[in-house]
Amino acid sequence: ITASTCFGVGSDIITTSGVPTSVKITEDDAITQGSAWALTGRSVDLIAENNKGITLTNVANQMGNLTVTGGAVAITENDAITQGGAWTTTGPTTLTTTAANAGVTLTNAANVLGNLAISGAANVAITENDDITQASAWNLGTAAVALNAGTHDVAFTQALNKVGDLVVTAANAAITENDVISDGGAWYVSGLTTLPAGPNAIVLDANPRSQFGTVKIVSASSADILARNAIEFDTSTVTGGLTVNASGPITQIGAIRAGSLLLSGAGPGTLAN
């Protein structure tokens, strides 16, 4: 099904006489739906021209790979949310999965997305050719989350974030959680990594190890960091123990306050503030 028009009403896709092999809809208006879209395994391409919105929020939706261009976008599926081509969204982008163990996987390197709100997902992988930012807290329990902003920044800064193990690739990263900040694989952050963990711990001990530039621990009950290279600390506060093992020099540009300190690794440690 291919349509290029201005429907002006919620679109129904009737499948009682057969399911289309693919759907492509272009509107110079908001794209909305009437009833649920039953398009399991079928690619869906949606273009809302001139930054108009796309709202497909029926909890029974089932679609194949999605390609989305629009302003504010809200997608709900009773299945995993996956993509075909790159997504471009300029407004808040709200993604909700209602099926058990369904994830959100948007890993096209050309994605440019607005502020993201994600709920219900069992796992999340987001890649952008832009900063990765949030519209609201992601309360995903123990769901693994991978955020790849390439040479751009990750701002995962909502105070009520709660996710499982994180993997982060970015120029600079700010990571806030209302829980332990833990890694599920190596982090690659060339610039500043800012970590407010509040009363919770920070455990970044992936093997292979993470690669950091400068780390600023705003708050944590304890912190355990393994680095594959040199690591530099900006002003940091840890109420309990700070443990650092690095394959290069351990240095600082700001004062460190910690209940105890353990440094180890191949390089010298110079903390002379």
Side-chain angles (χ1 to χ4, degrees), residues 72-140:
V73 170
I75 304 288
T76 300
E77 280 202 61
N78 187 30
D79 202 350
I81 296 175
T82 59
Q83 71 181 133
W87 288 28
T88 301
T89 65
T90 58
T93 301
T94 304
L95 306 173
T96 304
T97 58
T98 58
N101 301 316
V104 173
T105 305
L106 305 181
T107 53
N108 188 303
N111 288 333
V112 176
L113 307 172
N115 295 337
L116 288 160
I118 297 178
S119 59
N123 52 79
V124 175
I126 302 292
T127 299
E128 283 198 57
N129 186 28
D130 200 1
D131 294 348
I132 296 177
T133 57
Q134 295 185 277
S136 62
W138 300 7
N139 188 354
L140 302 176

Side-chain angles (χ1 to χ4, degrees), residues 211-260:
Q211 185 167 314
F212 297 105
T214 301
V215 173
K216 180 182 180 69
I217 301 174
V218 177
S219 56
S221 61
S222 63
D224 184 1
I225 299 175
L226 301 184
R228 71 166 58 191
N229 57 341
I231 187 169
E232 176 182 71
F233 283 89
D234 201 343
T235 304
S236 295
T237 301
V238 181
T239 56
L242 171 60
T243 301
V244 184
N245 182 291
S247 298
I250 302 170
T251 59
Q252 68 184 147
I253 57 171
I256 296 172
R257 299 177 64 89
S260 63

Side-chain angles (χ1 to χ4, degrees), residues 24 30 121 138 147 157 161 203 212 226 244 263:
K24 182 172 183 178
W138 300 7
L147 304 173
T157 53
N161 286 330
V203 183
F212 297 105
L226 301 184
V244 184
L263 305 181

Side-chain angles (χ1 to χ4, degrees), residues 179-220:
D179 201 356
V180 175
I181 298 175
S182 61
D183 55 12
W187 291 22
Y188 297 92
V189 185
S190 57
L192 176 64
T193 302
T194 305
L195 302 170
N200 304 297
I202 296 170
V203 183
L204 304 180
D205 59 357
N207 184 16
R209 299 178 177 209
S210 296
Q211 185 167 314
F212 297 105
T214 301
V215 173
K216 180 182 180 69
I217 301 174
V218 177
S219 56

